[in-house]
Amino acid sequence: MRIRVLSVLGSLLLVIVALVSTVLMQSVSRDATADLQVNRLSALNRFVQLASHANGGDDLEMLQLEMDTYSQLYGEGLLIVADGRQLASGEIQPEDAAVAQALRAAALNLEHTEIPAVNPFSDGAALITRPFGNTAQVLGSVTMKVNLEPARMRVLQASSMVLIISLAVGAIFLLLADRLATWVIRPLHRLDDSVQLLTRTQRPIPLVDQGPPELQALSRSVSNMAQTMATSLQQQQELIAETSHQLRNPVAALRLRVDLLKMRGGDDSSSDALRAVEDELARVETLLDGVLRLASAEHRLTEQNSEESAVEAGTRRESINALEVLAEEIERQSAVAQASGNTLMLDRASEPMVDALVWCNGFDLQQMVSELLENAIKYAPGTQVELGVRSSGAMLDIVVSDHGPGLSTAELSRAVERFWRSVRARGTAGTGLGLAIVDRLARANAGQIIVAANDGTGLKIIIRLPRASSGQEGTDG
């Protein structure tokens, strides 16, 4: 943008400089021509007067002497026709076609005293002619071959000076245009960078007042808008977290009261009602736990996107063996899996143990694997759930696949949305937050989640994370 603005401003300024310099050079040429015209007409009139009063040989000799003196002094030619004779001095030839044409015109009492405009490219000489005589006839004429070279050199020097000054002024104007463009464009670039950073990090960036007053006002408006938006987002996150936390207390109190009512006993209808209330409480507790975990994961993702917190977030990662995490999680959930009729199988041959290192926060990785395993057990009961790792260039894929009902192609694209659940899974207990949590945690660790159909039937979910070398170390936060 700066180049475009500078091109427009520079072009306009150069056009102005070119027009002004052209006018100045034309003025110089006009002045030089006018001076030469006045001087030579004065000399031409003087010789006309001398020639018209020449009478006899002595006067013509004196006239020839005057002509020779003039030609030696100014380097110009003179040709006078008087008393039936031609007198010439300097570099002028009567046989010359132009001179002969001037003499014929003078014989017809036609004068030509206009000197063409002198410019740096003018010819070296110009002819002016003036006849003289009485009212009845033309008695003679004076033709002067004006030397234009001195005037041309003066015009050339003056024009060169004007051109040099114009180039200098043009360069100064271009420099000023560059400074002006920078002054105007720099705040716009800072605004663009700030908006992009705000979009990426959701954190307001203070802007320094720069540029024209209008842009300074715009910068302040953008800063205020960014601050307002960031405050609103933070308040929303805090509201979700605090509301979920605060709801746990009354829910816990309700559960305690239900437990006390159950201990006191009652008829069968009361017991059924209590069990219904207890089921709803369990569902609310599960939902609150999911919302809290999702809020935490989204907060981690926001920190990852923030440049200021990226380094801090990076120091919380460590080199973790993904196979070990999978094995631990399988052991922890084996009892639940057996109760659901699932078989958990770890594919240790998929990647050598020493190469199954990922660069990730340990707690995040354990939480992601736990969520996927719980989902597989919940939505694909009675099937085999396979866990393993696969190399993917600089990344490592942690794969959890099952042989359950799976999802349709349209459903796969919505699987990581918050609170989204497949129509076929509406009868199964769940919140629809598990894959959303895994998605945010994976992105917070510079990775991603891929939800795809398993070969044959079922679902295959991949957590793709940066690989870590065996010598890479990190600090657990």
Side-chain angles (χ1 to χ4, degrees):
M1 184 176 180
R2 176 176 170 272
I3 299 298
R4 292 195 296 273
V5 173
L6 184 59
S7 299
V8 174
L9 287 178
S11 299
L12 292 176
L13 292 175
L14 288 179
V15 168
I16 293 174
V17 170
L19 290 176
V20 172
S21 62
T22 301
V23 171
L24 290 176
M25 285 191 287
Q26 288 178 346
S27 176
V28 168
S29 173
R30 189 165 50 251
D31 291 345
T33 304
D35 290 342
L36 185 64
Q37 180 87 28
V38 171
N39 291 334
R40 294 306 180 265
L41 284 181
S42 176
L44 185 67
N45 290 334
R46 177 172 174 271
F47 280 106
V48 167
Q49 187 176 13
L50 291 176
S52 61
H53 290 87
N55 187 11
D58 293 340
D59 290 343
L60 293 178
E61 289 179 2
M62 290 298 297
L63 179 59
Q64 182 66 53
L65 182 61
E66 288 285 341
M67 293 168 61
D68 293 339
T69 302
Y70 179 85
S71 296
Q72 291 175 0
L73 182 62
Y74 293 101
E76 298 177 348
L78 279 172
L79 178 62
I80 297 179
V81 178
D83 198 17
R85 297 175 57 184
Q86 286 188 347
L87 304 178
S89 66
E91 299 294 333
I92 187 169
Q93 299 297 328
E95 297 80 11
D96 186 87
V99 175
Q101 175 65 28
L103 290 176
R104 285 194 294 274
L108 298 174
N109 199 22
L110 300 175
E111 68 174 22
H112 175 70
T113 57
E114 188 73 20
I115 296 178
V118 180
N119 59 60
F121 308 102
S122 296
D123 295 332
L127 288 175
I128 56 175
T129 301
R130 173 160 287 176
F132 61 87
N134 53 35
T135 55
Q137 61 179 349
V138 176
L139 299 177
S141 65
V142 178
T143 303
M144 180 180 292
K145 189 175 183 180
V146 180
N147 183 11
L148 301 181
E149 187 62 21
R152 191 184 73 83
M153 291 303 298
R154 289 200 303 274
V155 172
L156 179 61
Q157 293 174 355
S159 299
S160 300
M161 186 61 67
V162 169
L163 185 61
I164 293 173
I165 294 175
S166 299
L167 291 176
V169 172
I172 294 173
F173 280 173
L174 283 178
L175 180 62
L176 292 176
D178 178 68
R179 300 297 297 270
L180 179 63
T182 303
W183 182 59
V184 174
I185 299 302
R186 182 176 295 168
L188 294 178
H189 284 306
R190 289 184 59 83
L191 271 174
D192 182 60
D193 294 340
S194 300
V195 171
Q196 291 185 13
L197 197 59
L198 175 65
T199 303
R200 191 168 60 252
T201 65
Q202 299 178 357
R203 290 192 174 187
I205 305 299
L207 292 171
V208 180
D209 288 347
Q210 290 181 330
E214 293 80 4
L215 289 181
Q216 293 182 17
L218 178 61
S219 298
R220 289 192 289 272
S221 299
V222 171
S223 295
N224 294 334
M225 179 198 69
Q227 182 63 48
T228 302
M229 191 187 76
T231 302
S232 175
L233 288 174
Q234 184 178 359
Q235 288 175 347
Q236 288 181 11
Q237 292 178 350
E238 291 176 355
L239 176 64
I240 293 173
E242 291 173 358
T243 301
S244 302
H245 182 74
Q246 293 299 324
L247 281 175
R248 293 182 63 86
N249 292 331
V251 169
L254 282 174
R255 175 168 290 282
L256 181 60
R257 291 179 181 275
V258 169
D259 292 341
L260 289 175
L261 288 174
K262 288 172 63 179
M263 291 175 61
R264 290 173 183 173
D267 54 19
D268 293 340
S269 59
S270 298
S271 298
D272 293 340
L274 287 174
R275 278 194 294 274
V277 172
E278 193 175 29
D279 291 342
E280 287 300 320
L281 284 175
R283 196 173 72 86
V284 171
E285 287 174 339
T286 303
L287 181 61
L288 290 177
D289 288 340
V291 171
L292 283 173
R293 292 200 302 274
L294 179 63
S296 175
E298 290 186 339
H299 177 69
R300 294 267 294 109
L301 179 59
T302 302
E303 285 186 332
Q304 165 65 24
N305 290 335
S306 170
E307 289 185 352
E308 292 181 356
S309 302
V311 176
E312 181 183 350
T315 58
R316 285 200 291 266
R317 299 178 200 159
E318 57 186 333
S319 177
I320 302 175
N321 193 301
L323 280 176
E324 291 181 357
V325 174
L326 292 178
E328 291 172 0
E329 197 59 28
I330 287 175
E331 182 179 358
R332 192 177 70 83
Q333 298 200 33
S334 59
V336 179
Q338 289 177 0
S340 300
N342 292 104
T343 303
L344 304 182
M345 189 185 75
L346 177 61
D347 184 7
R348 291 182 178 275
S350 57
E351 191 73 12
M353 181 69 76
V354 70
D355 291 335
L357 299 178
V358 293
W359 190 249
C360 181
N361 180 278
F363 178 75
D364 290 348
L365 181 59
Q366 183 274 329
Q367 189 175 359
M368 286 187 283
V369 174
S370 175
E371 292 284 352
L372 296 186
L373 201 52
E374 288 177 1
N375 267 9
I377 294 173
K378 185 186 305 178
Y379 297 113
T383 65
Q384 177 174 287
V385 180
E386 299 151 356
L387 299 92
V389 296
R390 299 282 188 278
S391 175
S392 179
M395 310 293 280
L396 190 77
D397 290 347
I398 300 172
V399 183
V400 178
S401 56
D402 61 62
H403 298 277
L407 298 174
S408 66
T409 303
E411 291 175 329
L412 288 175
S413 61
R414 302 190 58 191
V416 297
E417 293 180 6
R418 286 176 291 199
F419 299 107
W420 181 86
R421 302 185 68 197
S422 172
V423 176
R424 295 190 299 274
R426 295 294 168 83
T428 306
T431 62
L433 294 174
L435 291 182
I437 294 171
V438 177
D439 173 67
R440 275 56 166 184
L441 289 178
R443 287 194 280 159
N445 287 276
Q448 66 176 129
I449 178 176
I450 299 173
V451 183
N454 195 12
D455 295 336
T457 181
L459 202 61
K460 179 169 66 177
I461 302 177
I462 301 172
I463 305 172
R464 180 164 291 173
L465 295 170
R467 297 189 70 152
S469 62
S470 56
Q472 203 169 8
E473 294 181 355
T475 303
D476 191 4

